[in-house]
């Protein structure tokens, strides 16, 4: 039987000829930090102090012993970052140049000093650029000239920390006669029967040895002889339970085991988990353009998605537990699809295992982003080799439903002045429209492939045409008001987003000793977007006066504006299902503490946007929208059951007076959107009025804002400009304010705060708009269970808080913010 010996211990890293202890898996930066050679680049301006690390060559070393008892010994690296020369006892084993591949070297009979010498990624990239010629890119760094995680060279949300190191596990494998070199599993469903087809490749030391494979799944067992270098074994699982995305059903997984046999002796074994499901991508043309709808097990989906970037700029630090925590946060926000963005990596098995278990669909970009990529050698061969390896590696995972060729490169060629600059040079089109679709069709015909994001499906349409295929909506963030999301109905919004600073405690940790201000040195350094603060302020001033000299108020309003902006887009696009078939918010997570588009900051704390996503991605959503000049209430029902109930509409004054009321019956079929016209007499007029819609129990609160009535009606809705709703057992709510907040004469807010079991209760005596508890201000480890909420006079909300060590009502009040107090 094949024996595997991990080689994680005993490594040293040479720094100025002096060895320091090294951790494998790891990287140069983390080892230098552990040794006290460099500061933490995440803190203050530390990133600039460690820039020299990326310009150096580095060597990892350790001793390895001999290999008695087996015919062959292989040295196996699951990941080397990136350009390296591997030697054992002074003998060169080989050179590598791709972070996204694994490597295997025959070291039979060898022992001694193992050396892995890494060349500076900058030196390699500049050498390749000299050979193939200059190519344009969105950033000045040379990331397109080597197969490495592009965002380690910096991005508009990430630091420039160009890593090197043994970033995935390394081991010795000792074996005799034969081993399993590769298993390519095709998992399908045929007329209710699950089918697993395993194409097996073997490596032999003895060509004449008779071999067989024995495969089992769900109690079904079969055996087949192996001729030459491989064979195929096929199993059928009657009545296989289907794997469904979260919100649509369960996610059953089946253990698959394949043994390689010589007679009755097991030589090697391959184990994975699979799930039975079908997936299609409906791209048929229709009256609205060209669709882009995921279909799983015959069910058409509105994809509720988030974009994923590497969760740490040093990905070797991301543990299985951290992946699980972050993806559970995604599932907890109602997300059912995670797009792995093309400037990062093919993630570890831990990531995809968690997605399989949680029912999270995975859209997998190939690692190309925001640049023209040369198609000459040495890159072309590396691209094909990495694609072949990773397609086969990831095939077992039922969560993986889509392969995508690149991020924004087809769009960049057309719109970013690449075409004239390239003057006929290669730029990646041959990968996205040639190599990659060919490989996916050959290796993994069970999943659809799309050439890029955005991509309209062909050059007959603009690559980012909202009427055709996938669309990236960035004009709004860069130049316009977020209300302009409502001006178009893309077929699938694969990227859009709005920035906000991270949690207050995250900033305090990352910028120790700094007096925080929007333009303080550390805040500016941890804002990587071009004119990021300018865009934040211009986006805010359309709705609020930008605070001057009050950082806490600025911080609250920027986080609120992010939540409102994303809400404006998702509510509008969901109300247009099935024309629009999905939204993928940029972005779920951060790789360090930074002002960015993320819903979860670099320390893992949820921003208000996170809680907003829980509302926006719930199965049921109420939202006010305009249709043909009329205000309508859209009831979005993505649940599997019909939604029937009574809607209560109330026209209110900001002082709490009810100006009109009606009730209407609602019927929204499963996976449909129902629309109700708002009576003209209930349409709010001017800055002093707004409209409330509730589905579920409604208390007539607010007839007199100063009456002191103790209606104490539980509220379940958040609110904001345009339309908002929330989900809870009591019902849903939407609100519509006809003018920006800066024009609304809000009353001075009055509310009471009391401790409650596991949190606090807030009771409003006036209109309290967008109340938010910043729980980390109570305790660095504290988390609130909800985001912004609007209370009408007399309404009450209980906010759960976990991790709060010393609860106190007055302390809680100091961490509560609302629109009126932030004007």
């Amino acid at each position: 039987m094949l024996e595997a010996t991990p080689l994680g211990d005993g490594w040293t890293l040479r720094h100025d000829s002096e060895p320091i202890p090294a951790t494998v898996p790891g990287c140069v930066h983390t080892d230098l930090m552990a040794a006290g050679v460099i500061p933490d680049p995440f803190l203050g301006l530390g990133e600039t102090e460690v820039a020299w690390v990326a310009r150096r060559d580095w060597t990892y070393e350790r001793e390895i012993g001999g290999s008695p008892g087996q015919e062959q010994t292989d040295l196996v690296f699951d990941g080397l970052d990136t350009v390296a020369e591997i030697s054992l006892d002074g003998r060169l084993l080989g050179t590598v140049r791709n972070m996204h591949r694994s490597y295997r070297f025959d070291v039979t009979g060898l022992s001694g000093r193992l050396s892995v010498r890494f060349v500076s990624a900058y030196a390699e990239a500049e050498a390749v650029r000299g050979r193939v010629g200059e190519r344009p890119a969105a950033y000045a760094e040379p990331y397109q000239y080597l197969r490495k995680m592009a965002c380690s060279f910096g991005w508009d949300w990430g630091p420039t920390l160009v890593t090197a190191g043994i970033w995935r596990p390394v081991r010795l494998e000792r074996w005799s006669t034969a081993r399993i070199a590769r298993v390519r599993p095709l998992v399908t469903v045929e007329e209710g029967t699950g089918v697993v087809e395993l194409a097996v490749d073997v490596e032999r030391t003895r060509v004449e040895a008779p071999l067989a494979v024995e495969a089992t799944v769900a109690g079904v067992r079969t055996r087949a002889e192996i001729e030459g270098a491989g064979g195929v074994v096929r199993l059928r699982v009657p009545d296989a339970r289907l794997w469904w995305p979260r919100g649509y059903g369960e996610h059953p997984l089946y253990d698959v085991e394949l043994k390689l046999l010589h007679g009755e002796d097991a030589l090697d074994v391959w184990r994975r988990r699979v799930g039975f499901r079908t997936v299609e991508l409906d791209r048929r043309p229709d009256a609205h353009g060209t669709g882009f709808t995921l279909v799983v097990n015959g069910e058409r989906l509105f994809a509720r998605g988030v974009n994923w970037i590497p969760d740490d700029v040093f990905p070797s630090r991301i543990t299985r537990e951290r992946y699980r925590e972050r993806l559970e946060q995604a599932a907890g926000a109602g997300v059912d699809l995670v797009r792995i963005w093309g400037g990062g990596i093919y993630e570890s098995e831990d990531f995809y295992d968690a997605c399989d278990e949680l029912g999270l669909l995975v859209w997998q970009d190939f690692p190309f982003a925001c640049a023209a990529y040369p198609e000459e050698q040495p890159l072309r061969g590396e691209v094909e080799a990495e694609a072949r390896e990773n397609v086969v590696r990831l095939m077992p995972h039922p969560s993986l439903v889509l392969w995508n060729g690149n991020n924004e490169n087809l769009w960049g060629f057309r719109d970013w002045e690449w075409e004239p600059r390239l003057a006929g040079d290669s730029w990646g089109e041959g990968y996205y429209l040639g190599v990659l679709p060919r490989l996916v069709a050959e290796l993994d015909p069970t999943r659809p492939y799309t050439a890029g994001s955005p991509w309209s499906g062909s050059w007959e349409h603009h690559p980012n045409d909202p009427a055709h295929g996938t669309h990236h909506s960035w004009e709004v963030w860069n130049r316009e008001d977020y209300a302009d999301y409502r001006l178009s109905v893309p077929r699938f919004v694969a990227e859009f987003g709005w920035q906000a600073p991270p949690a207050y405690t995250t900033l305090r940790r990352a910028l120790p000793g700094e007096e925080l201000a929007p333009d303080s040195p550390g805040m500016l350094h941890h804002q990587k977007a071009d004119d990021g603060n300018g865009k934040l302020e211009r986006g805010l001033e359309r709705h609020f006066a930008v605070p001057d000299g009050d950082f806490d108020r600025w911080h609250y309003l920027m986080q609120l504006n992010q939540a409102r902006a994303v809400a404006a887009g998702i509510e509008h696009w969901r109300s247009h299902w099935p024309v629009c078939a999905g939204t993928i918010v940029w972005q779920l997570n951060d790789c360090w503490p930074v002002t960015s588009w993320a819903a979860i900051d670099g320390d893992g704390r949820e921003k208000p946007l996170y809680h907003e996503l829980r509302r926006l991605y719930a199965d049921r959503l109420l939202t006010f929208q305009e249709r043909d000049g009329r205000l309508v209430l859209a009831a979005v029902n993505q649940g599997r059951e019909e939604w029937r109930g009574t809607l209560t509409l109330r026209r209110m004054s900001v002082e709490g007076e009810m100006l009109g009321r009606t009730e209407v019956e609602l019927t929204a079929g499963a996976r449909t959107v129902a629309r109700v016209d708002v009576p003209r007499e209930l349409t709010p007029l001017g800055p002093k009025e707004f409209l409330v819609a509730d589905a579920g129990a409604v208390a007539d609160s607010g007839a007199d804002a100063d009456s002191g009535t103790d209606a104490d009606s539980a509220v379940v809705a958040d609110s904001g400009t345009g339309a908002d709703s929330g989900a809870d057992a009591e019902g849903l709510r939407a609100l519509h304010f006809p003018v920006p907040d800066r024009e609304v004469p809000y009353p001075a807010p009055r509310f009471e705060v009391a401790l409650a079991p596991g949190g606090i209760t807030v009771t409003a005596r006036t209109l309290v708009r967008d109340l938010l508890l910043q729980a980390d201000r109570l305790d660095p480890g504290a988390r609130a269970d909800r985001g912004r909420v609007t209370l009408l006079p007399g309404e009450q909300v209980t906010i759960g808080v976990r991790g709060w060590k010393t609860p106190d009502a007055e302390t809680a009040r100091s961490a509560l913010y609302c629109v009126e107090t932030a004007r």
Side-chain angles (χ1 to χ4, degrees), residues 508-579:
R508 283 266 59 103
R509 186 192 71 83
L511 306 175
E514 180 166 309
E515 183 177 346
L516 295 178
D519 58 353
S520 61
M523 286 293 294
L524 290 178
H525 185 75
H526 288 246
Q527 163 62 279
K528 296 296 187 179
D530 182 33
D531 190 30
N533 275 13
K535 293 172 184 176
L536 279 172
E537 294 197 356
R538 289 190 293 275
L540 184 66
E541 67 186 3
R542 296 181 173 101
H543 302 272
F544 297 95
V546 177
D548 183 15
D550 186 338
F551 180 81
D552 290 345
R553 189 156 56 107
W554 178 90
H555 182 264
Y556 160 76
L557 286 176
M558 288 303 180
Q559 289 199 330
L560 172 64
N561 218 40
Q562 180 188 40
R564 286 193 181 186
V566 171
I570 293 179
E571 289 181 351
H572 169 66
W573 294 320
R574 281 193 73 182
S575 75
H576 281 277
W577 162 259
V579 177

Side-chain angles (χ1 to χ4, degrees), residues 29 38 42 67 174 345 409 430 438 509 546-547 551 569 612 630 662 773:
H29 288 82
I38 63 172
F42 286 11
S67 53
R174 299 181 175 95
I345 58 177
N409 295 343
R438 171 175 56 80
R509 186 192 71 83
V546 177
F551 180 81
E612 191 74 357
R630 290 288 304 273
T662 191
L773 175 66

Side-chain angles (χ1 to χ4, degrees), residues 731-804:
L732 301 181
R733 170 175 285 177
L735 288 92
H736 172 72
F737 287 75
V739 298
D741 292 76
R742 60 188 306 153
E743 299 178 23
V744 179
Y746 291 114
R750 291 189 294 111
F751 55 85
E752 299 158 7
V753 182
L755 293 179
I760 63 170
T761 295
V762 180
T763 304
R765 298 308 175 194
T766 62
L767 173 66
V768 179
R769 183 129 190 242
D770 284 330
L771 181 74
L772 176 69
L773 175 66
Q774 293 191 354
D776 63 293
R777 291 177 181 261
L778 306 175
D779 188 291
R783 299 286 196 276
D785 66 358
R786 68 181 308 143
R788 66 191 184 115
V789 57
T790 289
L791 301 177
L792 305 183
E795 289 185 332
Q796 183 180 91
V797 65
T798 296
I799 304 171
V801 185
R802 55 185 173 87
W804 187 11

Side-chain angles (χ1 to χ4, degrees), residues 58 89 108 113 182 367 399 460 548 627 652 722 743 786:
W58 300 92
D89 197 27
T108 305
R113 193 74 171 167
R182 187 179 79 163
S399 55
E460 295 180 8
D548 183 15
R627 294 287 192 276
M652 304 282 296
E743 299 178 23
R786 68 181 308 143

